[in-house]
Amino acid sequence: MEKATNILMCPGNLLQYPKDYRNINVWMKEKHTIDYALVQMELEGVCKYIEFCNAHISCINHQADLPDMFFVRNAGLVLPSHGDSEKKQVILASFKHRERQDEQKFYRQWFEQNGFEVIVLPMGVTFEGGGEAIFCGNQLFFGHGFRAPKDTLTHLQYALDEARMEADIIPLKLVDERFYHLDTAFMPISGDGVDTKDALVYYPGAFDKESLTVISALPINKIEVTEADACAFGCNLLAIGNNIIMAKGTRKLSHELKARGFIVYEADMAEIKKGGGSVYCMTLNI
Ligand code: ARG
């Protein structure tokens, strides 16, 4: 039987940024024009698709003064289950910007209360969870440059050792400030292997030359995303088996995914985008 997909979300404060909250990414320039009723509708749309794909949604309580908790992907890096641990495991995030630092304790509490072994990085190490590190088989891709520095890699390696998990960590350097977290520009997808093949969706313009060389050598089908589709947050998609939930508005990407056998659900994300994220950012596979 197929394993059920469990998704954590943080509905609630609907991106109500206080007046003095800085723009910690370039998309947030428009954050004071956010229409909360529309955010609510967009959120409901995404939830509907997730449930339609037979995934289960759990919620973490929002905190009124921490609007970016909406983007719960950053809570931590949930490790895939592996033989050496009976418990679910997570490497807890530790945020760069003051605005998000207080989120950590609420995530920690939630993970602990929900049966996770929580691995905490040393003080002073920046790491923004599932937004910056993405597993693909036994490889862990780590995007650095805007939030986490490259040095975080060493600490991720220690954390994986502590979790008794083997994986090769592959650093990728982000160079375009619009794509400040790895998940805004790079998304490996594994379909069910029947109608679809594994695919890697990525926007080349987000990476430096060396990283592009690493990416092109990967033995996986690649889909290069155009700048326009990347700016529509096309890469920030949530895959559930052969289903893909993504932002409406990509010109080529959704067609390309459909042509490869994926079932694509396109959600309105125009308001949520003003916080600097999309479907993948607002969900966390647990
Ligand atoms: N406003 C949030 C920030 O700048 C958006 C986070 C988006 N999350 C993500 N996984 N890319 O931190």
Side-chain angles (χ1 to χ4, degrees):
M1 212 177 79
E2 241 179 79
K3 229 176 79 216
T5 302
N6 290 309
I7 304 282
L8 180 66
M9 297 181 82
C10 184
N13 61 14
L14 303 174
L15 299 181
Q16 304 189 27
Y17 292 103
K19 279 276 165 288
D20 57 349
Y21 204 97
R22 290 175 305 155
N23 295 336
I24 58 174
N25 68 60
V26 292
W27 305 97
M28 288 170 74
K29 282 188 203 111
E30 288 186 74
K31 70 181 186 305
H32 291 308
T33 68
I34 290 177
D35 179 328
Y36 308 130
L38 285 180
V39 176
Q40 178 66 40
M41 281 169 60
E42 292 176 3
L43 170 71
E44 284 168 15
V46 172
C47 292
K48 188 184 73 192
Y49 289 138
I50 294 176
E51 282 167 347
F52 196 73
C53 298
N54 282 325
H56 177 262
I57 300 175
S58 303
C59 294
I60 176 171
N61 287 337
H62 80 277
Q63 303 296 321
D65 51 345
L66 299 172
D68 270 330
M69 278 186 82
F70 187 84
F71 297 110
V72 72
R73 182 64 63 175
N74 297 117
L77 175 66
V78 175
L79 305 185
S81 53
H82 59 100
D84 290 323
S85 173
E86 310 233 301
K87 260 188 157 184
K88 290 178 284 184
Q89 297 170 307
V90 63
I91 303 175
L92 190 66
S94 167
F95 291 90
K96 171 171 178 175
H97 295 296
R98 178 73 204 99
E99 280 78 357
R100 298 201 66 178
Q101 285 168 357
D102 290 343
E103 296 178 23
Q104 190 195 45
K105 58 175 175 290
F106 298 104
Y107 296 138
R108 183 175 190 163
Q109 214 173 56
W110 190 91
F111 286 124
E112 284 173 353
Q113 286 169 354
N114 287 275
F116 280 79
E117 174 185 343
V118 180
I119 298 165
V120 182
L121 296 169
M123 279 272 275
V125 173
T126 299
F127 175 57
E128 301 199 348
E132 292 196 306
I134 304 176
F135 280 99
C136 181
N138 67 345
Q139 294 183 311
L140 176 62
F141 293 94
F142 164 56
H144 62 93
F146 290 102
R147 299 287 173 90
K150 192 175 180 190
D151 298 352
T152 293
L153 189 149
T154 315
H155 298 283
L156 285 179
Q157 188 59 64
Y158 292 144
L160 290 182
D161 294 346
E162 188 181 331
R164 304 163 300 283
M165 189 180 164
E166 274 179 43
D168 292 325
I169 308 181
I170 300 177
L172 297 172
K173 185 168 164 63
L174 297 162
V175 293
D176 180 330
E177 62 178 353
R178 293 171 300 177
F179 307 102
Y180 56 98
H181 279 145
L182 182 64
D183 66 1
T184 60
F186 181 95
M187 192 59 64
I189 312 171
S190 31
D192 67 7
V194 179
D195 303 318
T196 61
K197 291 204 179 66
D198 293 352
L200 170 66
V201 170
Y202 79 108
Y203 170 53
F207 298 94
D208 76 347
K209 234 174 119 202
E210 216 182 307
S211 308
L212 286 177
T213 312
V214 172
I215 295 173
S216 21
L218 295 171
I220 180 168
N221 292 296
K222 291 170 213 69
I223 303 180
E224 283 192 15
V225 173
T226 61
E227 181 176 11
D229 283 1
C231 287
F233 276 98
C235 302
N236 200 257
L237 56 86
L238 178 69
I240 302 174
N242 277 356
N243 302 290
I244 289 180
I245 307 170
M246 65 188 286
K248 197 179 267 180
T250 62
R251 294 196 193 112
K252 279 179 73 186
L253 182 59
S254 61
H255 297 293
E256 190 133 11
L257 289 165
K258 286 177 202 161
R260 291 180 192 227
F262 292 102
I263 303 158
V264 178
Y265 301 93
E266 293 173 272
D268 278 315
M269 297 298 290
E271 295 304 300
I272 292 173
K273 184 181 171 185
K274 295 176 185 169
S278 193
V279 184
Y280 191 80
C281 301
M282 60 189 280
T283 53
L284 181 68
N285 300 63
I286 47 171

